[in-house]
Amino acid sequence: MSRGYNFSAGPSTIAESVLRRAQAEMLDWGGQSASVMEISHRGKAFVAMTEKVEADLRRLLDISADYAVLFLQGGATQHFAQIPQNIAAPDDTADYLVTGAWGAKALSEAKPYVRTNVVASGESGNYTSVPDRAEWKLTPDAAYLHVTPNETIHGVEFETVPDVGDVPVVADFSSTLLSRPVDVSRFGMIYAGTQKNMGASGLTVLIVRNDLLARKPRPLANILTYSAHAKEHSLLNTPPSFPWYLTGLVLEWIEAEGGLAVMAERNRAKSELLYSAIDGSGGFYTNPVDVRYRSWMNVPFTLKDDSLDASFLKESEALSLFALKGHKAVGGMRASLYNAMPLAGVQALVDFMADFARRNG
């Protein structure tokens, strides 16, 4: 068996050692004589696993007791709509900073449930930068400010947590959570699908400050209410068993590799290697993003002649460099460099890019 380098934006590459451990435990997990997918989610073994996963995540991110940690279904997209229902009343105003396609989608999904205010948008610049702080039009008493620290499609990223006083900052961290240390205490809520840096699709992690969890802004069914899920330790209904288990394996892998500081060092090195290759190509490759806001995780780039795109993809796939086609909103190519992508994979891509440019420049 030969595994290639998977540059998919998600579901994304998973460390081979994690996959091999899951393979080894597939038929008999934890001495249960059954797969983790087959045992009761209310049994002692499964509950112990969920408690360990939460403890491991709290330790990695230094999450205090002021926050609940939820492991839910729906992906980030479901929570675009569920978040305003849980922490804002219909007549409240929620602020949205829109720096890419996912921020725009979060805004759209929130509109049926809360008044929305676009603080600033990068749309006029094709989402290639983050609007200057001086341009933001904030609502002083907003229910929350929603931000997307990394835009997976457009490759725009900002690390500075906006200082907006007492307004809680809600952040979609789907493509960056666990890629580096983050100060959770600066946020009211962090949420992330697990299919980027945290495992498989099907699970969404929410880190919610307790005061937001206590808000009761409107009647909601229990299944839609975060506080109800928190009360039942994310076991209000049957959970996505395997993705939860796999996230636990990924957390153990991150700790074994040295933790989030090591992830950050590796991710910085990978992105710098690829951006250097793009910038040093004499214009054959171009990244459109403002250099101040280039993403570590998702690197879009175009070729000087888009008629070469098909050849680039065909030849790269022949070298086991997979999933490099860019999103239709941007075009060209996109390389996603999540935690499990090794530096060797980025080096292989850079070597191919240089060779392709020499032959087609």
Side-chain angles (χ1 to χ4, degrees):
M1 183 190 73
S2 175
R3 279 176 58 79
Y5 293 118
N6 175 16
F7 292 93
S8 172
S12 65
T13 188
I14 298 173
E16 185 172 333
S17 62
V18 169
L19 294 175
R20 290 193 179 278
R21 180 173 170 189
Q23 180 186 47
E25 297 178 347
M26 183 63 69
L27 300 181
D28 181 5
W29 171 72
Q32 297 297 303
S33 300
S35 166
V36 70
M37 294 179 282
E38 298 174 291
I39 66 171
S40 171
H41 64 288
R42 303 202 186 281
K44 290 183 179 180
F46 190 87
V47 170
M49 182 272 291
T50 67
E51 291 172 347
K52 182 180 185 304
V53 174
E54 179 176 340
D56 287 351
L57 184 64
R58 283 185 178 276
R59 185 169 57 256
L60 275 170
L61 287 170
D62 193 22
I63 302 170
S64 77
D66 294 331
Y67 292 80
V69 179
L70 306 179
F71 298 85
L72 304 181
Q73 300 176 54
T77 301
Q78 176 176 310
H79 296 280
F80 291 163
Q82 204 165 334
I83 286 168
Q85 293 180 70
N86 274 268
I87 65 172
D91 291 336
D92 285 345
T93 297
D95 282 350
Y96 279 75
L97 174 65
V98 181
T99 51
W102 291 111
K105 190 168 185 178
L107 170 69
S108 175
E109 295 297 308
K111 284 183 175 180
Y113 306 106
V114 67
R115 294 176 178 174
T116 57
N117 169 53
V118 178
V119 167
S121 173
E123 184 177 13
S124 63
N126 296 318
Y127 296 127
T128 55
S129 189
V130 176
D132 289 340
R133 180 65 172 80
E135 300 174 8
W136 296 11
K137 298 179 180 178
L138 294 160
T139 305
D141 59 348
Y144 60 88
L145 168 66
H146 184 280
V147 299
T148 310
N150 183 75
E151 284 285 353
T152 314
I153 291 174
H154 291 90
V156 174
E157 179 178 350
F158 62 96
E159 292 197 70
T160 302
V161 183
D163 183 0
V164 289
D166 293 332
V167 175
V169 178
V170 175
D172 174 6
F173 265 90
S174 290
S175 48
T176 51
L177 194 62
L178 300 186
S179 67
R180 71 206 74 181
V182 59
D183 184 356
V184 172
S185 68
R186 299 291 303 279
F187 297 89
M189 181 189 302
I190 286 172
Y191 66 107
T194 55
Q195 69 273 17
K196 315 286 189 177
N197 286 308
M198 301 176 68
S201 60
L203 183 69
T204 307
V205 172
L206 293 89
I207 304 166
V208 190
R209 206 170 64 206
N210 292 330
D211 64 301
L212 298 186
L213 202 64
R215 289 184 179 181
K216 306 289 185 184
R218 68 186 77 207
L220 280 177
N222 272 354
I223 197 66
L224 298 176
T225 304
Y226 292 150
S227 59
H229 285 284
K231 182 179 179 180
E232 299 297 329
H233 306 287
S234 302
L235 294 170
L236 179 65
N237 62 323
T238 305
S241 301
F242 187 79
W244 202 340
Y245 152 80
L246 197 65
T247 289
L249 299 190
V250 171
L251 297 179
E252 291 183 12
W253 173 77
I254 290 174
E255 283 204 302
E257 292 291 303
L260 297 184
V262 170
M263 294 296 112
E265 182 180 348
R266 292 177 181 177
N267 290 326
R268 186 194 302 275
K270 289 183 295 185
S271 63
E272 288 179 350
L273 176 61
L274 182 51
Y275 284 122
S276 293
I278 293 168
D279 295 342
S281 69
F284 189 90
Y285 303 106
T286 304
N287 172 269
V289 178
D290 183 333
V291 294
R292 296 173 298 170
Y293 300 112
R294 283 176 162 180
S295 171
W296 287 7
M297 296 285 97
N298 311 102
V299 183
F301 60 94
T302 55
L303 281 63
K304 71 173 184 179
D305 180 355
D306 59 15
S307 70
L308 294 171
D309 287 4
S311 295
F312 183 96
L313 289 170
K314 183 178 180 180
E315 291 185 27
S316 61
E317 289 179 3
L319 294 173
S320 296
L321 305 171
F322 299 120
L324 285 164
K325 186 176 181 178
H327 191 277
K328 62 183 178 181
V330 177
M333 309 299 154
R334 175 176 54 175
S336 293
L337 313 179
Y338 300 123
N339 284 350
M341 171 58 64
L343 182 63
V346 183
Q347 186 64 61
L349 172 59
V350 165
D351 291 344
F352 164 71
M353 290 169 63
D355 179 63
F356 188 87
R358 280 194 296 270
R359 290 185 284 107
N360 295 278

